[in-house]
Amino acid sequence: MRTRTALAATVALMALPMPAASAVELCHVANAGFLIKGEKTSVLIDGLIREDQYDGRFALPSDAVLDAMMNRTGLFENLSIVLSTHRHGDHFDPKATIQNLRSTRSVQYGVPTDAVAALEANGLTDTERARLMIVEDGPQQEFTHAGVRIQTFDVDHGPNMPQNVGYRVTVDDVSFFHTGDISAARSQLSMAGLNALPVDVLIMPFWYGFQDAQQRQTIEESWAYGRIVPTHFNPASQAWMEQFGGLAGLKNSVKASFENAIINTTEGNCTAIE
């Protein structure tokens, strides 16, 4: 009887549904900055910025969020990797990066080659340099840290602009691609290896492909994506936005123009990605 009871209990236990794996979350930080938050590790892209170099044109993280980044608390408690797509001040802050290097001893950093000089000018040491994944201009590279796979791609920012790195980041088997400030033709992206690249979530400036049929075709041919996250919205309405009904109208127009789009411009707001 005991054997039958134990067997029945085992069968009943096996019949129970297995707990679902925790979804990866995509959390907005500021401007084009996002945190990819996994179960045990997180990746911050273009969000570690403190200094306003554009007179309020682009949103910055709040002091509370910056403090959480520096101390790996709250939303950033399992932060493992910080990535910067390019050295413009609305995506990369060398002073804040140096501060973060010194306050978080286990975090690794991915930066373009031409951003290293700004870190050196702010006191980068040899020990700190050893924690940098320096992305060369042109060839694809691949890094792995804390179970996260990072693949880099050359994504053109336009004439007379700095090196811009596109990152494909895979956390808990969910893949994200952040284009940085893309201004690339299809031919350039193809040469960089972006030919229907599979990715679950594509993050790019809202203006690329918005009301531009050629750029839209470039997006569709370069990535095989599940969801798209248009970003880099100004924090306040500007005169040119009135044709869309202001900032809110612009966001609605952008969302309507992209299938399955996620518009997230609220600091700390997270979207679960299954």
Side-chain angles (χ1 to χ4, degrees):
M1 180 63 71
R2 291 180 181 176
T3 302
R4 290 180 180 177
T5 301
L7 179 59
T10 301
V11 171
L13 183 61
M14 293 175 62
L16 292 174
M18 293 295 291
S22 299
V24 178
E25 293 184 300
L26 181 67
C27 307
H28 187 251
V29 177
N31 191 41
F34 286 86
L35 180 74
I36 301 169
K37 188 169 181 58
E39 185 176 4
K40 296 180 179 179
T41 189
S42 296
V43 181
L44 177 63
I45 307 178
D46 282 1
L48 183 55
I49 45 177
R50 182 190 298 276
E51 186 176 348
D52 183 4
Q53 298 185 11
Y54 296 91
D55 298 322
R57 184 180 173 190
F58 304 112
L60 298 172
S62 66
D63 288 342
V65 165
L66 280 165
D67 286 345
M69 291 181 196
M70 296 302 173
N71 296 298
R72 294 183 76 215
T73 58
L75 198 61
F76 303 91
E77 64 182 354
N78 59 3
L79 182 65
S80 300
I81 301 170
V82 175
L83 304 174
S84 299
T85 60
H86 62 290
R87 59 180 171 83
H88 279 161
D90 53 331
H91 296 257
F92 170 72
D93 184 333
K95 293 179 182 179
T97 301
I98 291 293
Q99 182 183 354
N100 197 254
L101 271 163
R102 293 172 182 173
S103 62
T104 59
R105 301 293 180 177
S106 61
V107 177
Q108 294 284 324
Y109 300 76
V111 296
T113 300
D114 65 357
V116 176
L119 295 174
E120 292 173 339
N122 283 278
L124 180 72
T125 66
D126 290 340
T127 300
E128 291 160 356
R129 181 188 290 270
R131 291 163 58 197
L132 299 183
M133 300 175 285
I134 300 175
V135 183
E136 299 175 13
D137 190 4
Q140 293 181 37
Q141 294 174 256
E142 184 168 329
F143 307 94
T144 301
H145 178 67
V148 176
R149 183 187 184 196
I150 302 168
Q151 299 161 276
T152 70
F153 298 83
D154 180 26
V155 176
D156 189 18
H157 191 335
N160 304 313
M161 290 294 182
Q163 176 190 356
N164 186 74
V165 180
Y167 292 99
R168 185 179 189 266
V169 178
T170 303
V171 176
D172 296 348
D173 296 323
V174 181
S175 59
F176 300 79
F177 195 105
H178 197 307
T179 67
D181 280 355
I182 181 174
S183 181
R186 173 72 194 114
S187 57
Q188 188 273 315
L189 295 177
S190 179
M191 289 181 62
L194 292 166
N195 298 292
L197 180 74
V199 62
D200 294 305
V201 179
L202 176 63
I203 307 168
M204 63 169 39
F206 75 87
W207 60 79
Y208 192 85
F210 178 52
Q211 299 186 328
D212 188 313
Q214 185 173 359
Q215 289 181 348
R216 178 62 64 85
Q217 183 176 351
T218 295
I219 294 171
E220 302 303 326
E221 293 179 2
S222 302
W223 292 275
Y225 63 90
R227 305 201 70 177
I228 189 167
V229 181
T231 189
H232 216 310
F233 290 95
N234 299 99
S237 189
Q238 299 183 358
W240 66 269
M241 299 178 190
E242 293 308 314
Q243 60 186 305
F244 303 102
L247 178 58
L250 172 64
K251 292 177 182 178
N252 289 334
S253 296
V254 171
K255 185 173 183 179
S257 71
F258 289 99
E259 185 177 355
N260 211 15
I262 300 170
I263 304 291
N264 185 358
T265 60
T266 302
E267 181 184 77
N269 187 59
C270 301
T271 301
I273 309 296
E274 300 294 343

